[in-house]
Amino acid sequence: MTEPLEVGVLGYRFMGKAHANAMARLPMFFPDAPEIERSVLVGRDEEALEDAADRLGFDSISTDWEAVVDDVDAFYNLGPNHVHPGPSIAALEAGTPVFCEKPLAPTLEDAERMAQAADDAGVPAGTAFNYRFVPAIQYAKGLLEAGELGEIRHVRGRYLQDWLVDPEAPWSWRLDEEMAGSGVLGDLGAHTVDLVRFLVGDDDLAGDIERLSGHLQTFVDERPVEGEEETRPVTVDDAYSAQLEFENGAVGTLEASRYATGHKNDHTIEIHGSNGSLRFSLERLNELEVHREGDRGYETILVTDADDPYVDHWWPPGHVLGWEHTFVHENYEFLSSVEAGSEFEPSFADGLAAQRVLETIVESDERGEWLALE
Amino acid sequence: MTEPLEVGVLGYRFMGKAHANAMARLPMFFPDAPEIERSVLVGRDEEALEDAADRLGFDSISTDWEAVVDDVDAFYNLGPNHVHPGPSIAALEAGTPVFCEKPLAPTLEDAERMAQAADDAGVPAGTAFNYRFVPAIQYAKGLLEAGELGEIRHVRGRYLQDWLVDPEAPWSWRLDEEMAGSGVLGDLGAHTVDLVRFLVGDDDLAGDIERLSGHLQTFVDERPVEGEEETRPVTVDDAYSAQLEFENGAVGTLEASRYATGHKNDHTIEIHGSNGSLRFSLERLNELEVHREGDRGYETILVTDADDPYVDHWWPPGHVLGWEHTFVHENYEFLSSVEAGSEFEPSFADGLAAQRVLETIVESDERGEWLALE
Amino acid sequence: MTEPLEVGVLGYRFMGKAHANAMARLPMFFPDAPEIERSVLVGRDEEALEDAADRLGFDSISTDWEAVVDDVDAFYNLGPNHVHPGPSIAALEAGTPVFCEKPLAPTLEDAERMAQAADDAGVPAGTAFNYRFVPAIQYAKGLLEAGELGEIRHVRGRYLQDWLVDPEAPWSWRLDEEMAGSGVLGDLGAHTVDLVRFLVGDDDLAGDIERLSGHLQTFVDERPVEGEEETRPVTVDDAYSAQLEFENGAVGTLEASRYATGHKNDHTIEIHGSNGSLRFSLERLNELEVHREGDRGYETILVTDADDPYVDHWWPPGHVLGWEHTFVHENYEFLSSVEAGSEFEPSFADGLAAQRVLETIVESDERGEWLALE
Amino acid sequence: MTEPLEVGVLGYRFMGKAHANAMARLPMFFPDAPEIERSVLVGRDEEALEDAADRLGFDSISTDWEAVVDDVDAFYNLGPNHVHPGPSIAALEAGTPVFCEKPLAPTLEDAERMAQAADDAGVPAGTAFNYRFVPAIQYAKGLLEAGELGEIRHVRGRYLQDWLVDPEAPWSWRLDEEMAGSGVLGDLGAHTVDLVRFLVGDDDLAGDIERLSGHLQTFVDERPVEGEEETRPVTVDDAYSAQLEFENGAVGTLEASRYATGHKNDHTIEIHGSNGSLRFSLERLNELEVHREGDRGYETILVTDADDPYVDHWWPPGHVLGWEHTFVHENYEFLSSVEAGSEFEPSFADGLAAQRVLETIVESDERGEWLALE
């Protein structure tokens, strides 16, 4: 009998909870997943760490990530963006597989160093684009790969939230460029760019994004600090949009906003090909709308049948899954790769590729012109 | 520090897994839930039990429910219908709180005995109508109680599945009256009747169902036995419908089927009141459609805000929940009642009341006439 | 060159306008329709008639229907229900084709006399069930006839309006049994019953309705008279429901209401067969939702393609039609039958058959029991 | 009693039929509209003209537009794009009000000359942006003007068709730049740009479009000529997209395509403001989805109530209108302006403003950079 994999996790807030929950659920629903131990939870504030480790089921805590990355069988980097490069690269240099939240890094250069480190290490290094693991998205991927949509002509992606609609909503660290890296572009746009690459990036679909025009906008320049009389500047983007042109001539538009009144977490992908189309929205994540050759409209498919991706692990047809299940699937795949020593996708290379698109959007916005992806 | 509650569970298939999962998830998401131990899993086949106990996280197994019901702090009866009365009553007589799957019992008389036993025992005795614990349904209940829909005029409930559409689909124990008790009526109709009672049963809404006309239908009389050359008779209902009249004059229709081509698990409730209306479908369980006074149409509400029922225990707005979360909420409430010694609803009395409606539907169908609820 | 058909029309309100408009539009869009003249408009109030004839494009007016029915080539009876039998039978006895609004007659006996008169006359006698002439409904009919849905198991029809929700809404003649014949049953239910017969009445689909249970309800017993201090009693049904059983064992539910808060004119038909399903709502009359063999969900079809029923007469694909177009199609078919001397459906026999269902609903409600259709 | 307005119409195909039908329907539904005569139908092919005049109800035909524009009380220019400037300017110089189909002209210079001629003439000169006259759009305009959506942040417009999806679909004159002026940009994009200007152009909403990035794409470079062995080049755009920035900082994206598999005539507008949002799709033109302050989601409104724009002229609530009704409303407004000698909007100035946006999209695409609107 093999020893369980010891997992170290840096970060214990939203993402820490999402991944800890995913790990906790594996044995009951994915009995062939590797056995793991939530071994050590890493952070800076010991008291908060103790409390979180208790809630999230970790054996121990540490404030010294340098020691941890060496020690564990897999290292999860769920800290804020600017903490991604250092510990991730250190872990890889120690030969420890790494799973890192998105966007991969605060700068393109950091992302390149991280991808290089992953390459050099030759161990699984994953970027946490969890929306690849929605059953409906996997099902869509299958349709696309089987050529059911034909050659791709149009791609449309948008991610709409509304939590900054009120100009008096308080300032937060997410609105500060130093701390957050970027605004919606990294937080929401990274997801969309990855889904677009994942779904239509194959050469016989649309291929790579070849050139783009990007636009960033900040609607409210400063916001009140909660409980204080001062305001602080907003130094990140409140919304972005982009026009894309792909290798094969397909065109696309991307968008995200935190000012989309009435939308909570509306991540939408629409694709039109020469033989068919599909639509997906995260707020109805069990559904996929598909138009195939010979169809007249879209068929609304509930992707919860026993032979749909991952579904047989859960419940009978029609018993819908939630957002958090994407983390279980993602962890299952990543940890299985760690155990098998096999490659995992989305990899750091995928994270870097997405970042390159984001960076090009920023640069295009600054220059006011279309730019080719390098 | 108090001892954890020891829980014994009879049944380890679909419902066993759903409840075990729910219990497993309580500590991380409902830290104020009582601490529990999945103590003993009860059944007849030791090998299967061992295997299930391992997967579902139980400390031990037993094939002797009579010993178990005495021993544990709470007893879950998740066995088939005909096993509901004996162990449940024995547990109650031993002063052990009971949580029993729906429908409460194979006959109305059994249900009455069970409700009486619960009354006599004075401990929590719950019927597992989990759909009461969908956040959107709880939110709907709040609207109704606050009078937002006014006096109720119309109720419409239906539960559509499609797994028997094919007349060559194989025979199963669920199609045998002796084993299953009834067909769609008990399996699906029980849920609908409970939701209707829960949502509009208050006196200032529609009140009790006063009279009804019921109809049962079996479309395919016999089915092939898998792997054999024989067929076996279908002795339960494939579909039912009912017309209802409530205390206040409101009218309703109910329906369920396993022949509703294209519907997997479509449990729908629609209510029209003098001031507003609402609609809910289980296949989009994060949503509620609401029409309030002054509105012109229905507003599609994503019931995932922080102040929506149970949502603050989970994820930020727009991060949708799934079917299984209803079991977590249900277990949280039931186990909290067990710990506090307080009443739990839906109780055995609720289970009995639903059963009385189902039984009246059967009798009305036989007689071909409207019948008053006793 | 043939003479134009001279058409006489009794009734100049809502239905008068709808049919006059339909006739006026035929030449431009249905060039092969018979040439007609809106010859004479019939009623009792000369002044109102003059005004209406002017607006609706009639050559003359008359207060003497007995003279008119003899004189014209086709007679439209668009008067209130109690005026249907006399003039219609007189016209038929004079050998004049008749087109009569629904429901066919105030009593079953009247309807029988009218159908007999039509039989005896051997000229086209149509009942104005205009919803048969929605392109999406015709398209649905085609699917059903081609066996795309297989044998029918379930039918669901409902017609929801909301104009009586407010208990203080004023009394109107439509709420008086003597004047209106019935409430929702005749006004809305007649349409649903006809659509159900039209769509699934074939022997190899569901066949005839064999037995049913009916229920009528009046929620508000009296209402204020506008501008006066008195109230008047409501003597018709505010809502009805029915359970149906068809010849082949299929089951159905019907419903209508004027108290369905939030619904303006929501006439919905849902059908499940052994191979497929379909859904239609009048508020989205250009659409049909279809589930065919091999599909997983419903395909939402915009029934506006060039080869869809009647569509080539109008506009290019995606240029949606409205409610009134059903009248143009209906008039085209009826007047073409008049010119050709051929049969028209829905005929008086269809009107009678629908009425028999409505009457059985009433009787079943009174007796509180299921009744067989005679 | 005044003389009826004599109307001359150049063009007798799709648009000729749509406007002739609209004029024919005015008297019955808009009794306060000016009385008009469909006086003369103008074109080049006498035989075709005779036939069309007969079908469309014109008194006479002419192949000499120069004579006609002088003679009539209003001149409709429904010819192809390159025929817009000459006759329109001639009519205006003769003091004859003009109604011209969109896009206003083949080149920006032509459009400027036309707008100048309209200015000089001081008579009504309208551009036929009929979608302004959808009741739901008028209703949306009312909400926006009343400030219900607050300050605008996001605008999204797209117009999706699918008739060129098949690369073997035959060549048509619409694919030739000389004849058609442009592809989707002028044909579809013009409508979207006008709606955006109409809905959010007010200074306290979003104001004017200030700068943009445009993109045109041709997916299939040549197509077979029907019935011949040759192919001909496609010299227009198959799809376009644009990013917009408005005066107030609001951002927008526009798109159109003839390759959007599964979409027939899907013209969609979405707007997010600081207080609310709205969505509209032409394929469901009776509906508007509205999110107002305090709402949680979108309310789906059927814009068919008696007090909704134009609806009282037609049918009771819930009796839906079709695409062609927009032409009736448009003609009603234009002809009323002609009679009153008052201004009509959308004017030639509006047509020119839309054209300037389209032209800037083309130029931006060529240069590969953002451009300011002049």
Side-chain angles (χ1 to χ4, degrees):
Chain A
M1 171 154 171
T2 61
E3 289 291 294
L5 296 176
E6 302 207 347
V7 178
V9 173
L10 186 161
Y12 50 82
R13 295 187 193 283
F14 181 18
M15 284 301 109
K17 190 178 175 186
H19 285 283
N21 172 55
M23 293 177 203
R25 305 192 66 190
L26 284 175
M28 198 181 288
F29 294 92
F30 289 77
D32 65 328
E35 202 183 336
I36 64 162
E37 228 163 79
R38 277 164 275 161
S39 191
V40 52
L41 190 63
V42 183
R44 285 185 305 194
D45 176 339
E46 288 207 15
E47 200 175 336
L49 269 177
E50 284 290 4
D51 176 63
D54 193 46
R55 257 184 311 111
L56 304 181
F58 281 81
D59 299 338
S60 65
I61 67 165
S62 167
T63 56
D64 177 9
W65 61 258
E66 305 198 37
V68 169
V69 297
D70 236 7
D71 229 44
V72 293
D73 298 313
F75 177 68
Y76 279 57
N77 192 336
L78 314 178
N81 207 349
H82 67 273
V83 181
H84 288 181
S88 297
I89 291 172
L92 288 166
E93 286 174 353
T96 305
V98 176
F99 199 54
C100 184
E101 266 304 326
K102 38 59 56 181
L104 193 56
T107 70
L108 189 57
E109 291 65 40
D110 287 331
E112 280 163 350
R113 286 194 302 126
M114 290 169 74
Q116 187 60 53
D119 242 26
D120 295 345
V123 295
T127 310
F129 291 125
N130 61 303
Y131 295 136
R132 289 198 184 195
F133 299 94
V134 175
I137 290 292
Q138 292 274 333
Y139 181 75
K141 172 77 171 171
L143 293 177
L144 284 156
E145 276 182 351
E148 297 257 9
L149 269 68
E151 193 183 347
I152 303 311
R153 302 295 192 197
H154 290 280
V155 179
R156 213 170 288 119
R158 61 182 206 190
Y159 205 140
L160 303 182
Q161 299 186 341
D162 67 1
W163 54 279
L164 286 181
V165 164
D166 178 0
E168 296 302 310
W171 187 91
S172 104
W173 66 270
R174 286 176 170 280
L175 305 181
D176 182 83
E177 193 181 7
E178 295 243 329
M179 282 186 268
S182 75
V184 295
L185 190 63
D187 189 26
L188 307 181
H191 277 303
T192 314
V193 167
D194 181 66
L195 272 193
V196 166
R197 289 188 65 251
F198 176 60
L199 289 171
V200 306
D202 284 358
D203 280 351
D204 50 354
L205 295 171
D208 287 334
I209 299 170
E210 219 170 50
R211 47 196 291 271
L212 61 77
S213 167
H215 188 219
L216 305 183
Q217 186 63 296
T218 304
F219 296 120
V220 173
D221 289 332
E222 55 179 22
R223 288 182 172 270
V225 179
E226 205 147 34
E228 297 176 38
E229 294 208 0
E230 53 162 344
T231 63
R232 270 192 224 163
V234 172
T235 51
V236 300
D237 49 300
D238 284 334
Y240 90 96
S241 69
Q243 295 164 283
L244 310 178
E245 188 168 321
F246 292 80
E247 246 178 318
N248 79 333
V251 296
T253 56
L254 305 181
E255 248 189 289
S257 177
R258 291 163 173 167
Y259 285 71
T261 316
H263 297 251
K264 291 298 169 195
N265 201 28
D266 186 16
H267 191 196
T268 303
I269 297 285
E270 301 177 352
I271 299 170
H272 305 293
S274 54
N275 293 337
S277 296
L278 59 81
R279 296 192 288 222
F280 169 80
S281 164
L282 185 60
E283 290 183 353
R284 287 182 177 164
L285 67 74
N286 293 277
E287 299 180 17
L288 188 72
E289 292 182 89
V290 180
H291 173 97
R292 288 177 224 233
E293 199 156 18
D295 287 354
R296 297 186 50 179
Y298 285 81
E299 183 187 348
T300 304
I301 295 177
L302 198 62
V303 188
T304 59
D305 278 0
D307 54 359
D308 284 324
Y310 300 115
V311 175
D312 61 328
H313 291 270
W314 300 103
W315 315 107
H319 293 71
V320 297
L321 300 182
W323 170 83
E324 69 187 54
H325 293 81
T326 62
F327 282 77
V328 185
H329 306 158
E330 176 184 64
N331 275 270
Y332 168 67
E333 299 293 359
F334 176 69
L335 293 165
S336 298
S337 290
V338 169
E339 187 184 43
S342 61
E343 279 192 41
F344 173 79
E345 284 188 352
S347 65
F348 271 26
D350 292 307
L352 169 62
Q355 196 118 352
R356 197 164 276 145
V357 174
L358 303 185
E359 187 68 25
T360 309
I361 288 172
V362 173
E363 213 177 313
S364 163
D365 176 55
E366 281 162 6
R367 294 212 211 158
E369 61 188 35
W370 283 73
L371 292 180
L373 267 287
E374 282 164 40
Chain B
M1 166 149 178
T2 61
E3 290 291 296
L5 296 175
E6 301 205 348
V7 178
V9 172
L10 187 162
Y12 51 84
R13 295 186 193 284
F14 181 20
M15 284 301 109
K17 189 177 175 188
H19 285 284
N21 174 55
M23 292 177 204
R25 307 191 65 193
L26 284 174
M28 199 180 288
F29 294 92
F30 289 77
D32 65 328
E35 202 185 335
I36 63 162
E37 231 164 75
R38 278 165 275 162
S39 192
V40 52
L41 190 63
V42 184
R44 283 186 305 194
D45 175 338
E46 287 207 18
E47 201 175 337
L49 270 177
E50 284 289 5
D51 176 64
D54 193 47
R55 255 185 313 109
L56 303 180
F58 281 82
D59 299 338
S60 65
I61 65 164
S62 167
T63 57
D64 177 9
W65 61 258
E66 304 197 40
V68 169
V69 299
D70 236 8
D71 231 44
V72 293
D73 297 315
F75 177 69
Y76 278 57
N77 192 335
L78 314 178
N81 207 348
H82 66 273
V83 181
H84 288 181
S88 296
I89 291 173
L92 289 166
E93 285 175 354
T96 304
V98 177
F99 198 53
C100 185
E101 265 303 326
K102 40 56 57 182
L104 192 57
T107 70
L108 189 55
E109 291 65 38
D110 286 332
E112 279 164 350
R113 286 194 303 125
M114 289 169 75
Q116 186 60 52
D119 243 26
D120 294 347
V123 295
T127 309
F129 291 125
N130 62 304
Y131 295 136
R132 289 197 184 195
F133 299 94
V134 175
I137 290 291
Q138 293 273 332
Y139 182 74
K141 171 77 170 171
L143 293 177
L144 284 157
E145 275 182 350
E148 296 257 9
L149 267 68
E151 193 184 346
I152 302 311
R153 301 296 191 197
H154 290 279
V155 179
R156 213 169 290 120
R158 61 182 207 189
Y159 204 140
L160 303 182
Q161 299 186 342
D162 67 0
W163 54 279
L164 287 181
V165 163
D166 179 0
E168 297 303 309
W171 188 90
S172 106
W173 68 270
R174 285 176 171 280
L175 305 181
D176 182 84
E177 194 182 8
E178 294 244 330
M179 282 186 268
S182 75
V184 295
L185 190 64
D187 189 27
L188 308 180
H191 276 305
T192 315
V193 167
D194 182 65
L195 271 195
V196 166
R197 289 188 64 251
F198 177 60
L199 289 172
V200 307
D202 284 359
D203 281 350
D204 49 354
L205 295 171
D208 288 333
I209 299 170
E210 220 171 47
R211 47 194 293 270
L212 61 77
S213 166
H215 188 220
L216 304 184
Q217 185 64 294
T218 304
F219 295 120
V220 174
D221 288 333
E222 56 179 20
R223 287 180 174 271
V225 181
E226 204 147 35
E228 298 176 38
E229 294 207 2
E230 55 161 344
T231 62
R232 271 194 223 160
V234 172
T235 51
V236 300
D237 49 299
D238 284 335
Y240 90 96
S241 70
Q243 295 166 282
L244 309 178
E245 188 169 321
F246 292 81
E247 245 178 319
N248 79 333
V251 296
T253 56
L254 305 181
E255 249 189 287
S257 176
R258 291 163 174 168
Y259 284 71
T261 316
H263 297 252
K264 291 298 168 197
N265 202 29
D266 187 15
H267 192 194
T268 304
I269 296 285
E270 300 178 350
I271 300 170
H272 305 293
S274 53
N275 293 339
S277 296
L278 59 80
R279 297 193 287 222
F280 169 80
S281 163
L282 185 60
E283 290 184 352
R284 288 183 177 164
L285 67 73
N286 293 278
E287 298 180 17
L288 188 73
E289 291 181 273
V290 180
H291 173 98
R292 290 176 222 233
E293 199 156 19
D295 286 354
R296 296 187 51 179
Y298 285 80
E299 183 187 348
T300 303
I301 295 176
L302 198 61
V303 188
T304 59
D305 277 0
D307 54 359
D308 284 323
Y310 299 116
V311 175
D312 60 328
H313 290 269
W314 299 105
W315 313 107
H319 294 70
V320 298
L321 300 182
W323 170 82
E324 69 188 53
H325 293 81
T326 63
F327 283 76
V328 185
H329 306 158
E330 176 183 63
N331 274 270
Y332 169 66
E333 298 293 359
F334 176 69
L335 293 166
S336 297
S337 289
V338 170
E339 187 184 44
S342 61
E343 279 192 39
F344 172 79
E345 283 186 353
S347 66
F348 272 25
D350 291 308
L352 169 61
Q355 195 117 354
R356 196 164 275 143
V357 174
L358 303 185
E359 187 68 26
T360 309
I361 287 172
V362 173
E363 214 177 312
S364 164
D365 177 54
E366 281 163 4
R367 294 211 209 160
E369 60 187 36
W370 283 73
L371 292 180
L373 267 286
E374 281 163 40
Chain C
M1 170 155 170
T2 61
E3 290 291 295
L5 296 176
E6 301 207 347
V7 178
V9 172
L10 186 162
Y12 50 83
R13 294 187 194 283
F14 181 18
M15 284 301 108
K17 189 177 176 187
H19 285 283
N21 173 56
M23 293 176 203
R25 307 191 65 192
L26 284 175
M28 198 180 288
F29 293 92
F30 289 78
D32 65 328
E35 202 183 335
I36 64 163
E37 230 163 77
R38 277 164 276 161
S39 191
V40 51
L41 191 63
V42 184
R44 285 184 306 193
D45 175 339
E46 287 208 16
E47 200 174 338
L49 269 176
E50 284 290 6
D51 176 64
D54 194 46
R55 256 185 311 111
L56 303 180
F58 281 82
D59 298 339
S60 66
I61 66 165
S62 168
T63 57
D64 178 9
W65 61 258
E66 304 198 38
V68 169
V69 298
D70 237 7
D71 231 43
V72 293
D73 298 313
F75 177 68
Y76 279 57
N77 192 336
L78 315 178
N81 207 348
H82 67 273
V83 182
H84 288 181
S88 296
I89 291 173
L92 288 167
E93 285 174 353
T96 304
V98 177
F99 199 54
C100 185
E101 265 304 326
K102 40 57 54 181
L104 193 56
T107 69
L108 189 57
E109 290 66 38
D110 287 332
E112 279 164 349
R113 286 194 304 124
M114 290 170 74
Q116 186 59 53
D119 241 26
D120 295 345
V123 296
T127 310
F129 290 124
N130 61 305
Y131 295 136
R132 289 197 185 195
F133 299 95
V134 175
I137 290 292
Q138 293 274 332
Y139 182 74
K141 171 78 170 170
L143 293 177
L144 284 156
E145 276 182 350
E148 296 256 10
L149 268 67
E151 192 184 345
I152 303 310
R153 302 296 191 196
H154 291 279
V155 179
R156 212 171 289 120
R158 62 183 206 188
Y159 205 141
L160 303 182
Q161 299 186 341
D162 68 358
W163 53 279
L164 287 181
V165 163
D166 178 0
E168 297 303 310
W171 187 91
S172 106
W173 67 269
R174 285 176 171 280
L175 305 181
D176 182 84
E177 193 181 7
E178 295 243 329
M179 282 187 268
S182 75
V184 295
L185 190 63
D187 189 27
L188 307 181
H191 276 304
T192 313
V193 167
D194 182 65
L195 271 195
V196 166
R197 289 189 63 251
F198 177 60
L199 289 171
V200 306
D202 285 359
D203 281 351
D204 50 354
L205 295 172
D208 287 333
I209 299 169
E210 219 171 48
R211 48 196 291 271
L212 61 77
S213 166
H215 188 219
L216 304 183
Q217 186 63 296
T218 303
F219 296 120
V220 173
D221 289 332
E222 57 178 22
R223 286 182 173 272
V225 181
E226 204 147 34
E228 298 176 37
E229 293 207 1
E230 54 162 344
T231 63
R232 269 192 226 163
V234 173
T235 52
V236 299
D237 49 299
D238 284 336
Y240 90 96
S241 70
Q243 296 166 283
L244 309 178
E245 189 169 320
F246 293 81
E247 246 178 318
N248 78 333
V251 296
T253 56
L254 305 181
E255 251 189 288
S257 176
R258 292 161 174 168
Y259 283 72
T261 316
H263 297 251
K264 290 299 167 195
N265 201 28
D266 186 15
H267 191 195
T268 304
I269 296 286
E270 301 177 352
I271 299 171
H272 306 293
S274 54
N275 293 338
S277 296
L278 59 80
R279 297 192 287 222
F280 169 80
S281 164
L282 185 60
E283 291 183 353
R284 287 182 177 165
L285 67 74
N286 294 277
E287 299 180 18
L288 188 72
E289 292 181 272
V290 180
H291 173 98
R292 289 176 223 233
E293 200 156 16
D295 286 355
R296 296 186 52 178
Y298 285 81
E299 183 186 347
T300 304
I301 296 177
L302 199 61
V303 188
T304 59
D305 277 0
D307 54 359
D308 284 324
Y310 301 114
V311 174
D312 61 328
H313 291 269
W314 300 103
W315 315 106
H319 293 71
V320 297
L321 300 182
W323 170 83
E324 69 187 54
H325 293 82
T326 63
F327 283 77
V328 184
H329 306 159
E330 176 183 64
N331 275 269
Y332 168 66
E333 299 292 358
F334 176 70
L335 293 165
S336 297
S337 290
V338 170
E339 188 184 43
S342 61
E343 280 192 42
F344 173 78
E345 284 187 353
S347 66
F348 271 25
D350 291 309
L352 170 61
Q355 196 118 353
R356 196 164 275 143
V357 174
L358 303 185
E359 187 69 25
T360 308
I361 288 172
V362 172
E363 213 177 313
S364 163
D365 177 55
E366 281 163 6
R367 295 212 210 160
E369 61 187 35
W370 282 73
L371 291 180
L373 266 288
E374 281 163 39
Chain D
M1 168 149 177
T2 61
E3 289 291 296
L5 297 175
E6 302 206 346
V7 178
V9 172
L10 186 160
Y12 50 84
R13 296 187 192 282
F14 181 19
M15 284 302 108
K17 189 176 176 188
H19 285 283
N21 172 56
M23 292 177 203
R25 306 192 65 193
L26 283 175
M28 198 180 289
F29 294 92
F30 288 77
D32 64 328
E35 203 183 334
I36 64 162
E37 230 164 75
R38 278 163 276 161
S39 193
V40 52
L41 191 64
V42 184
R44 285 185 304 191
D45 175 340
E46 287 208 17
E47 199 174 338
L49 268 177
E50 283 290 4
D51 177 64
D54 194 47
R55 256 184 311 111
L56 303 180
F58 281 82
D59 299 338
S60 66
I61 66 165
S62 168
T63 56
D64 177 8
W65 62 258
E66 303 198 40
V68 169
V69 299
D70 236 7
D71 230 44
V72 293
D73 298 313
F75 176 69
Y76 278 57
N77 193 334
L78 315 178
N81 207 348
H82 66 273
V83 181
H84 288 182
S88 296
I89 291 172
L92 289 167
E93 285 175 354
T96 304
V98 176
F99 198 53
C100 185
E101 265 304 325
K102 40 57 57 182
L104 191 55
T107 69
L108 189 57
E109 292 64 39
D110 286 331
E112 278 164 351
R113 286 194 303 124
M114 290 169 75
Q116 186 60 52
D119 242 26
D120 294 346
V123 295
T127 309
F129 290 125
N130 61 304
Y131 295 136
R132 289 197 185 196
F133 299 94
V134 176
I137 290 292
Q138 292 274 331
Y139 182 75
K141 172 77 169 171
L143 293 177
L144 283 156
E145 276 181 350
E148 296 257 10
L149 268 68
E151 192 182 347
I152 303 310
R153 301 294 192 199
H154 291 280
V155 179
R156 213 171 289 120
R158 61 182 207 189
Y159 204 141
L160 303 182
Q161 299 187 342
D162 66 0
W163 55 278
L164 287 181
V165 163
D166 178 1
E168 297 303 309
W171 188 91
S172 106
W173 67 269
R174 284 176 172 280
L175 306 182
D176 182 84
E177 193 181 8
E178 295 243 330
M179 283 186 268
S182 75
V184 295
L185 190 64
D187 189 28
L188 307 181
H191 276 304
T192 314
V193 167
D194 181 65
L195 272 195
V196 166
R197 290 188 63 252
F198 177 59
L199 289 171
V200 307
D202 284 358
D203 281 350
D204 49 355
L205 295 171
D208 287 333
I209 299 169
E210 219 171 49
R211 49 195 292 271
L212 60 78
S213 166
H215 188 218
L216 304 183
Q217 185 64 295
T218 304
F219 295 120
V220 175
D221 288 332
E222 56 179 21
R223 287 182 173 271
V225 180
E226 205 148 33
E228 297 176 38
E229 294 206 3
E230 55 162 345
T231 62
R232 268 192 226 161
V234 173
T235 51
V236 300
D237 49 300
D238 285 334
Y240 90 97
S241 71
Q243 299 174 95
L244 310 178
E245 187 168 322
F246 292 81
E247 246 179 317
N248 79 332
V251 296
T253 57
L254 304 181
E255 250 189 288
S257 178
R258 292 162 174 167
Y259 284 72
T261 316
H263 297 251
K264 291 297 168 197
N265 202 29
D266 186 17
H267 192 194
T268 304
I269 296 286
E270 301 178 351
I271 300 171
H272 306 293
S274 54
N275 293 337
S277 296
L278 58 80
R279 297 193 287 222
F280 169 80
S281 164
L282 185 60
E283 291 184 353
R284 287 183 177 163
L285 68 73
N286 293 277
E287 299 180 18
L288 189 71
E289 292 182 272
V290 180
H291 173 98
R292 287 176 223 234
E293 198 156 19
D295 286 354
R296 296 186 51 179
Y298 285 80
E299 183 186 348
T300 304
I301 296 177
L302 198 62
V303 188
T304 59
D305 278 359
D307 54 359
D308 283 324
Y310 300 115
V311 175
D312 60 328
H313 289 269
W314 299 104
W315 314 107
H319 293 71
V320 297
L321 300 181
W323 171 81
E324 70 188 51
H325 292 82
T326 62
F327 283 77
V328 185
H329 307 158
E330 176 184 65
N331 275 271
Y332 169 67
E333 299 293 358
F334 176 69
L335 293 165
S336 297
S337 288
V338 170
E339 187 184 44
S342 61
E343 279 192 39
F344 172 80
E345 284 187 352
S347 66
F348 272 26
D350 291 309
L352 170 61
Q355 195 117 355
R356 196 164 276 144
V357 174
L358 303 185
E359 187 69 25
T360 309
I361 288 172
V362 172
E363 212 176 314
S364 163
D365 177 55
E366 282 163 5
R367 295 212 210 158
E369 59 187 35
W370 283 73
L371 291 180
L373 267 287
E374 280 163 40

